[in-house]
Amino acid sequence: QVQLVESGGGLVQAGGSLRLSCAVSGSTFSSRASGWYRQAPGKQRELVADRSSRGGTNYADFVKGRFTISRDNAGNTLYLQMSSLKPEDTAVYYCKLNSNGRDYWGQGTQVTVSS
């Protein structure tokens, strides 16, 4: 059974940084597509950044130059390094893994950026 558990969210002032982690069990991030998404209150879930199965990365325009997606060498953890945070980055952040043709989601971690 594939499970994803996010951590690292919290309250931070505008301009600050956070690093989110997503730990996987029952699968691996190696050679699999994965990504980070977010959902703010009253809004649809949106892509923040993703990695292809070959390691290529893609970022939403609103985070380019501020966020970095990566994973550990073992393929067990996906990261999202967030810097220069803005109040509009406030949302629940979710990680996603595509494994054997199916998408798996974590439960989300809250990020709140105060002005």
Side-chain angles (χ1 to χ4, degrees), residues 5 8 11 15 18 23-24 30-31 35-36 38 45 49-50 57 59 67 70 76 79 83 89 93 98 100 112 114:
V5 179
L11 174 64
L18 282 174
V24 64
S30 297
S31 301
W36 287 95
R38 71 186 188 186
R45 192 172 297 188
D50 60 15
T57 57
Y59 295 90
F67 292 9
S70 64
N76 296 326
Y79 300 104
S83 59
D89 293 320
Y93 284 71
N98 184 275
N100 296 324
T112 303
S114 63

Side-chain angles (χ1 to χ4, degrees), residues 17-98:
S17 299
L18 282 174
R19 188 176 80 158
L20 305 183
S21 300
C22 177
V24 64
S25 59
S27 185
T28 176
F29 287 110
S30 297
S31 301
R32 285 168 171 78
S34 59
W36 287 95
Y37 293 71
R38 71 186 188 186
Q39 187 166 19
K43 296 188 176 181
Q44 290 189 331
R45 192 172 297 188
E46 60 185 356
L47 172 69
V48 175
D50 60 15
R51 285 175 54 94
S52 71
S53 59
R54 296 185 178 183
T57 57
N58 174 58
Y59 295 90
D61 286 344
F62 53 78
V63 302
K64 281 182 179 177
R66 300 190 298 125
F67 292 9
T68 303
I69 186 172
S70 64
R71 64 163 177 84
D72 67 343
N73 289 336
N76 296 326
T77 306
L78 186 71
Y79 300 104
L80 184 69
Q81 178 67 47
M82 306 185 295
S83 59
S84 301
L85 283 161
K86 305 175 182 180
E88 51 263 45
D89 293 320
T90 294
V92 178
Y93 284 71
Y94 300 89
C95 67
K96 186 183 82 170
L97 169 66
N98 184 275

